[in-house]
Amino acid sequence: MSDVNLLLTRIDNRLIHGQVGVTWVNHIGANLLIVANDKVSEDEVQQNLMDMVLPDVIQTRYFSLQKTIDVIHKASPRQKIFLVVRDVHDALKLKEGGVPIDFINVGNLHYEEGKKQISSTVSVDEKDIEAFKRLDELGVELDLRRVPSERGRNIIDLL
């Protein structure tokens, strides 16, 4: 088992797009972007669309949550990993499954009926709030910010 070189975990319901694929990848120096999501891990069309956003030097993997839990500890130390998940529930499942997540960038959770907006890009419901609080209890730092140049805020303070 190697030490996982997990640079950043981001919650973004858009998964890979320009902000993630260019701005964040360059800012943290990642060379491997893992999307951990059960649906996307089986959707080649969506994977190909997301790959088009990324520079050629970035490798991508599209894993189910369980596969991410099973293989993340086998990563080479050369792999500088940027882990992207669609929502807080996926992040919590990964953390509880043993993925070494200590810091999460909360970037984007779209508004839907029944959710309250807590920032310009993040809306949550009661189940989301419970999951964020559980991650906080597990010692995960929860930093709300869209782009690296923005000043981050602890999402727990906004719930």
Side-chain angles (χ1 to χ4, degrees):
M1 197 186 284
S2 67
D3 288 330
V4 179
N5 198 357
L6 181 57
L7 302 178
L8 181 65
T9 301
R10 178 178 171 96
I11 296 172
D12 192 322
N13 60 350
R14 300 169 297 173
L15 299 173
I16 300 176
H17 52 90
Q19 241 172 36
V20 166
V22 178
T23 308
W24 280 102
V25 165
N26 290 335
H27 177 73
I28 64 174
N31 60 19
L32 175 61
L33 201 156
I34 296 175
V35 173
N37 181 270
D38 291 339
K39 285 183 183 174
V40 173
S41 70
E42 298 177 1
D43 186 340
E44 279 190 44
V45 173
Q46 196 170 2
Q47 292 173 22
N48 290 333
L49 289 170
M50 287 190 278
D51 281 345
M52 292 189 324
V53 174
L54 295 168
D56 290 339
V57 295
I58 303 300
Q59 294 184 349
T60 53
R61 301 288 185 276
Y62 298 93
F63 294 152
S64 67
L65 296 175
Q66 190 58 53
K67 183 165 184 179
T68 304
I69 291 165
D70 294 343
V71 304
I72 193 108
H73 293 285
K74 298 175 185 174
S76 162
R78 292 187 317 274
Q79 292 175 308
K80 298 174 185 169
I81 301 170
F82 182 11
L83 178 62
V84 179
V85 298
R86 181 161 271 152
D87 60 40
V88 64
H89 307 285
D90 286 355
L92 180 57
K93 184 172 181 178
L94 293 174
K95 176 66 177 176
E96 290 179 334
V99 176
I101 298 171
D102 298 319
F103 182 93
I104 295 177
N105 163 244
V106 183
N108 203 35
L109 291 169
H110 288 312
Y111 177 80
E112 296 172 11
E113 188 71 35
K115 292 195 174 202
K116 69 175 184 174
Q117 192 168 356
I118 61 169
S119 80
S120 62
T121 59
V122 175
S123 297
V124 295
D125 62 19
E126 286 306 313
K127 288 183 177 182
D128 297 334
I129 292 169
E130 287 174 27
F132 277 120
K133 288 181 178 179
R134 178 70 182 131
L135 283 165
D136 184 57
E137 289 168 6
L138 293 171
V140 177
E141 187 177 339
L142 300 163
D143 181 64
L144 190 149
R145 80 174 78 189
R146 290 176 304 135
V147 293
S149 59
E150 227 175 49
R151 185 169 169 261
R153 295 179 289 167
N154 184 337
I155 196 168
I156 297 298
D157 296 341
L158 302 172
L159 299 177

